[in-house]
Amino acid sequence: MCIRDSDVSEHWHDNMEVMALRVTENASRTGEHYITENYREYFALMRSAMGAGVIIALMAMLKIMLSKQHLAPLTEAILFSLNYGFGFILIHMLHFTVATKQPAMTAAAIAASIDSADSHSSAVNNLVAMIANTMRSQMVAIFGNVIIAIPTAMLIAWATMRLSGQHFVSAEKAHELLASIDPMHSGALFYAAIAGVCLFLSGLIAGYHDNLAVYNKIPQRLSAVPWLQKLLGKSLLARVANYIENNLGALAGNFYFGCLLGGMTAIGVLFGLPFDIRH
């Protein structure tokens, strides 16, 4: 018994099980918000995705502007990471939807539904309906992102041309960008897989911070800080603490997801590996 109590691998295994359970529960609860069941929810999700499309276009604009500065690789990676990280946090805080992050959330909700279903109950029919609703929700999220992101990018390019008399990107750079997302003649699909790994890791980070908020009683501690009570007032501080309790994991996950994406190119350069992303 003493040997088991001091076995590091046993503690590691137990902690990983708890974290996996927490990540799954959190993703399942979050994923339910991405599955629409009626017209009102369907169009609300489309509006949410359209809002994210505007921010995505602005993030792409900032990334191109930063890349034009030809900074040192580490400095560039840090700025790319901050651009992505704060952009994803803003999307979360405004309750917008990014289609590429949606499957990671809805998959957990579907898995929970499969676990509760059996061949002799109506749960199977509910599972089929959930999968169909998930497919429709995913399609409308993609549509909402793209239908706004492209016109916003065109508007930025037009405004730049009108105000400065110069193209936002040169013709050569535009062709280079198009070639870099060609699924058949570039590494775009492999880079998308790398982004998927980053998304998985961000889910673990989110679960860890959700546990951290509960275990260390971070909201309660914030509410008890005297100078914060004076600065914000007790009622506003209580709302801030409640928001952190419910969103610390999501905020941390989104920020570190952005850092992983922003730093992937620098990691590839540092280790001589074909790592990159196409966001």
Side-chain angles (χ1 to χ4, degrees):
M1 175 64 78
C2 293
I3 296 176
R4 265 180 85 82
D5 289 343
S6 59
D7 187 354
V8 175
S9 63
E10 187 74 19
H11 289 290
W12 174 264
H13 180 71
D14 291 342
N15 281 322
M16 288 300 101
E17 283 188 345
V18 172
M19 181 178 290
L21 176 63
R22 181 61 175 150
V23 170
T24 303
E25 288 180 345
N26 180 66
S28 176
R29 185 175 63 253
T30 305
E32 293 174 356
H33 299 295
Y34 292 104
I35 301 176
T36 61
E37 297 181 353
N38 52 57
Y39 283 108
R40 183 179 61 81
E41 294 177 354
Y42 184 82
F43 287 107
L45 180 61
M46 184 174 69
R47 290 192 296 271
S48 172
M50 292 170 70
V54 175
I55 298 177
I56 290 170
L58 295 175
M59 290 165 61
M61 176 194 73
L62 288 174
K63 182 179 179 181
I64 292 174
M65 292 174 63
L66 290 171
S67 65
K68 289 181 179 179
Q69 304 304 313
H70 302 291
L71 302 170
L74 179 59
T75 304
E76 188 175 73
I78 292 173
L79 293 177
F80 283 177
S81 297
L82 293 176
N83 177 36
Y84 283 130
F86 287 121
F88 287 138
I89 285 178
L90 181 61
I91 288 173
H92 173 77
M93 294 180 68
L94 295 176
H95 304 288
F96 291 158
T97 302
V98 180
T100 52
K101 296 184 65 178
Q102 193 174 349
M105 301 299 178
T106 56
I110 293 175
S113 181
I114 291 174
D115 186 56
S116 63
D118 60 76
S119 59
H120 302 290
S121 71
S122 60
V124 174
N125 294 330
N126 293 335
L127 174 61
V128 172
M130 173 180 285
I131 293 174
N133 289 334
T134 301
M135 294 287 291
R136 286 194 291 266
S137 303
Q138 183 67 54
M139 293 302 296
V140 77
I142 295 172
F143 175 79
N145 284 164
V146 173
I147 200 66
I148 290 296
I150 293 177
T152 303
M154 294 173 64
L155 179 62
I156 292 171
W158 175 83
T160 302
M161 185 64 183
R162 291 284 296 178
L163 295 174
S164 67
Q166 297 180 349
H167 293 289
F168 186 72
V169 294
S170 64
E172 294 78 10
K173 180 65 175 178
H175 287 295
E176 180 184 334
L177 291 173
L178 287 173
S180 68
I181 59 174
D182 186 336
M184 302 302 297
H185 302 94
S186 73
L189 294 179
F190 176 68
Y191 301 148
I194 293 176
V197 173
C198 293
L199 184 58
F200 166 74
L201 294 175
S202 72
L204 295 180
I205 293 171
Y208 170 79
H209 282 83
D210 278 330
N211 283 337
L212 190 69
V214 175
Y215 183 77
N216 289 332
K217 299 181 179 180
I218 291 177
Q220 292 83 349
R221 290 183 175 185
L222 285 176
S223 300
V225 176
W227 68 269
L228 281 178
Q229 292 178 359
K230 295 179 180 179
L231 179 65
L232 302 177
K234 290 187 177 181
S235 60
L236 178 58
L237 181 58
R239 291 199 297 271
V240 171
N242 181 67
Y243 182 83
I244 291 176
E245 181 178 12
N246 295 319
N247 294 274
L248 180 62
L251 293 173
N254 277 289
F255 180 76
Y256 284 109
F257 179 51
C259 291
L260 289 169
L261 293 181
M264 199 52 61
T265 303
I267 292 174
V269 172
L270 181 63
F271 293 100
L273 298 173
F275 285 179
D276 204 349
I277 53 107
R278 289 292 179 263
H279 281 66

